[in-house]
Amino acid sequence: MSTSSQPILKLDRVSKTFGSVPYIVKAAQAVSFELHPGRTLALVGESGSGKTTCARLVMREYQPNEGELIFKGKPVQTGDAKALAGYRRSVQMIFQDPFSSLNPAHTIAYHLRRPLQLHQRNLKGKEIDAKINELLERVKLDPAIVAPKHPHELSGGQRQRVNIARTLAVGAEIIVADEPTSMLDVSVRLGVLNLLNEMKRDLRLALLYITHDIATARYVAEDIIVMYAGQIVEWGNINKVIDNPQHPYTKLLLSAVPDPEIRFDDPKAHLQAADVDEVRRISAVPDARSICIDKDHFIRQVG
Amino acid sequence: MTQPLLSIKNLTIDYIGEETDFRAVDNVSFDVAAGEIFGLAGESGCGKSTIAFAISRLHKPPALIRSGQILLEGRDVLDLDIQALRSFRWREVAMVFQSAMNSLNPVLRVEAQFYDVLRTHQGMNRKQARERTAEMLRLVDIQPDRMGDYPHQFSGGMRQRIVIAICLALNPKIVVMDEPTTALDVVVQREILQRVNELRKRLGFSVLFITHDLGLMVQVCDRIGIMLEGKLVEQNTAQAIYGAPQHDYTKKLWASFPSLHGAKTAEGFAS
């Protein structure tokens, strides 16, 4: 958000609504953010806050009602099939559930061979096999053991690594990771997060990391966006936002993160239902004004 | 020292395979005192859910309890006959399952689901059941006039609270909560567990709390047991598990949680 480099993807006041009046749901309201190569943007918020809607907008799974996506300086055109195919090649997704996002009937090698055949046309025969091995090694899986296996023979963490390799096989420049570790065991989570960090650094990938676990967001991301009710309520440098939250909703969210230092019996830790409702109410009101806290830390005006 | 409410002694559970058996729970012993929240932590596959199911004898083949005792107020659950088991389940041990919010019947009104439990176990008529339902819903901050609604009309957090209310409707002595809030976001999780903590103090039931989130566990529980591959490797007060973990595995488990403040993480499972 405050880097001098050119953003690879920019969302400019993108809105998405579902249904029609009077049952209209504003899932994303004038959402703007930028993704930069080699940086991770974390998108946090509770369920229903619009974070997955944003992911789907980035994936072009939804067409925005308003606003536009600017990819490498040019608006993404829906009419131009070739440009759109190029866009889809560059923007890849890692899903939350590693148990259902691989085809159970195919081997791991097949999962990687298909995107290579389709998207890297210059590779022939043996080169493809070599590339599969290279990809699996990059995600720290042993090709000799893993390539001939089927998904059910792998653990959740291994499957998520295969998913990461698959995005690379297509030739992704932007990876959208929707809660990639929430279904993994705690002991393998960090391994997957480290891998994402490493790839971001080595391959200059731009990462959009969607989560409701702020602690893991801090582990992988440089920038953060906090969403509530389809709006971005606070954004900026992740350490500044976490250490000095200014928006009431961000404060509420951070105060509810489990902290072993504070017992539930402690009155300080006690959330009052009335306060929570009040924060939710004022945070849901649309407001176009933003307040600058620091040069890379902003909040949406409340009240 | 007073007698513990629930006492698990040398419990061993196998999953019977065609050739070999898999030992899911290996010689585990722990006690839960009346009014206490005891936490069981560990990764998936460590046997914590198997224990939870075994306590109300809900384990199904191929799971087999090889040996051990599960004593609730001195009575061995494993000796109960089918009749006794029926009155024991729910009335003495209630259970909140993993993703419990999906365990409500989608085609029955909430009221009917309460009535089901209250009629079976306490022989209540509709009017009595309705009164009890209203009382229980108020306990979990849901307006009693919504008892005529269907589960899909409530949010995930509300459904979870309804399940907890159904669990408490018969005044159980202990509630087993298996990852009760894993699918919920942090604010809702906090609100629900806060409420459980208050109710426990007011009504005096014990809780066996199962999760993999150690940070949350230390906040909620009085004592914690850490499980690894079917064995209980460490058991101590919540403060000690947090402040002075003894077993290597506990230390590694702590290290695998990125923290919100200070250093991002210690050396752990990172590889």
Side-chain angles (χ1 to χ4, degrees), chain B residues 136-191:
Chain B
M136 295 316 295
L137 288 179
R138 265 193 295 270
L139 274 188
V140 293
D141 293 324
I142 291 174
Q143 287 170 358
D145 54 6
R146 295 202 58 190
M147 70 169 83
D149 287 354
Y150 289 96
H152 73 265
Q153 290 167 290
F154 296 91
S155 68
M158 286 169 108
R159 266 179 287 179
Q160 195 77 341
R161 280 183 280 163
I162 291 170
V163 172
I164 291 171
I166 294 177
C167 275
L168 298 178
L170 299 176
N171 289 324
K173 291 175 182 139
I174 180 164
V175 181
V176 178
M177 294 191 169
D178 189 358
E179 307 255 8
T181 53
T182 308
L184 303 171
D185 38 75
V186 285
V187 178
V188 180
Q189 165 174 290
R190 169 64 71 82
E191 286 178 311

Side-chain angles (χ1 to χ4, degrees), chain A residues 12-23:
Chain A
D12 187 20
R13 304 188 55 78
V14 172
S15 297
K16 178 72 191 170
T17 54
F18 295 103
S20 51
V21 188
Y23 301 110

Side-chain angles (χ1 to χ4, degrees), chain A residues 48-186:
Chain A
S49 62
K51 38 188 210 305
T52 300
T53 302
C54 285
R56 292 190 164 165
L57 284 165
V58 170
M59 296 305 296
R60 302 297 294 174
E61 207 176 312
Y62 292 152
Q63 300 298 324
N65 294 96
E66 279 168 44
E68 59 182 1
L69 279 74
I70 297 162
F71 177 61
K72 292 183 176 167
K74 286 197 280 278
V76 180
Q77 298 286 339
T78 38
D80 185 349
K82 209 167 175 190
L84 199 59
Y87 179 81
R88 293 205 193 280
R89 181 171 304 146
S90 304
V91 185
Q92 285 292 317
M93 189 153 179
I94 299 168
F95 295 92
Q96 178 172 14
D97 184 357
F99 300 92
S100 65
S101 54
L102 294 172
N103 188 332
H106 290 301
T107 62
I108 300 308
Y110 180 89
H111 277 96
L112 300 177
R113 177 168 286 119
R114 284 290 289 168
L116 287 172
Q117 283 170 337
L118 287 169
H119 293 278
Q120 318 235 342
R121 294 290 177 101
N122 50 344
L123 294 178
K124 297 273 177 294
K126 285 258 162 54
E127 288 170 13
I128 292 186
D129 293 331
K131 185 76 182 170
I132 291 173
N133 290 352
E134 186 196 316
L135 286 169
L136 285 173
E137 271 163 20
R138 183 168 275 290
V139 294
K140 306 209 169 65
L141 293 172
D142 186 342
I145 299 172
V146 173
K149 284 192 173 179
H150 283 86
H152 73 268
E153 297 172 275
L154 302 183
S155 71
Q158 288 174 316
R159 281 185 236 200
Q160 213 56 309
R161 286 169 194 268
V162 171
N163 274 322
I164 293 170
R166 192 192 52 77
T167 64
L168 298 179
V170 181
E173 294 170 274
I174 299 172
I175 292 184
V176 178
D178 191 355
E179 308 248 12
T181 59
S182 69
M183 295 188 70
L184 302 180
D185 256 323
V186 282

Side-chain angles (χ1 to χ4, degrees), chain B residues 102-154:
Chain B
N102 301 325
S103 62
L104 291 169
N105 187 333
V107 296
L108 289 183
R109 296 175 195 277
V110 167
E111 183 186 8
Q113 312 201 26
F114 271 92
Y115 175 61
D116 203 18
V117 173
L118 293 168
R119 188 197 50 190
T120 313
H121 288 276
Q122 299 196 320
M124 283 192 184
N125 62 27
R126 292 239 176 226
K127 186 162 173 288
Q128 291 167 316
R130 214 167 283 144
E131 276 167 22
R132 181 72 178 151
T133 305
E135 188 187 335
M136 295 316 295
L137 288 179
R138 265 193 295 270
L139 274 188
V140 293
D141 293 324
I142 291 174
Q143 287 170 358
D145 54 6
R146 295 202 58 190
M147 70 169 83
D149 287 354
Y150 289 96
H152 73 265
Q153 290 167 290
F154 296 91

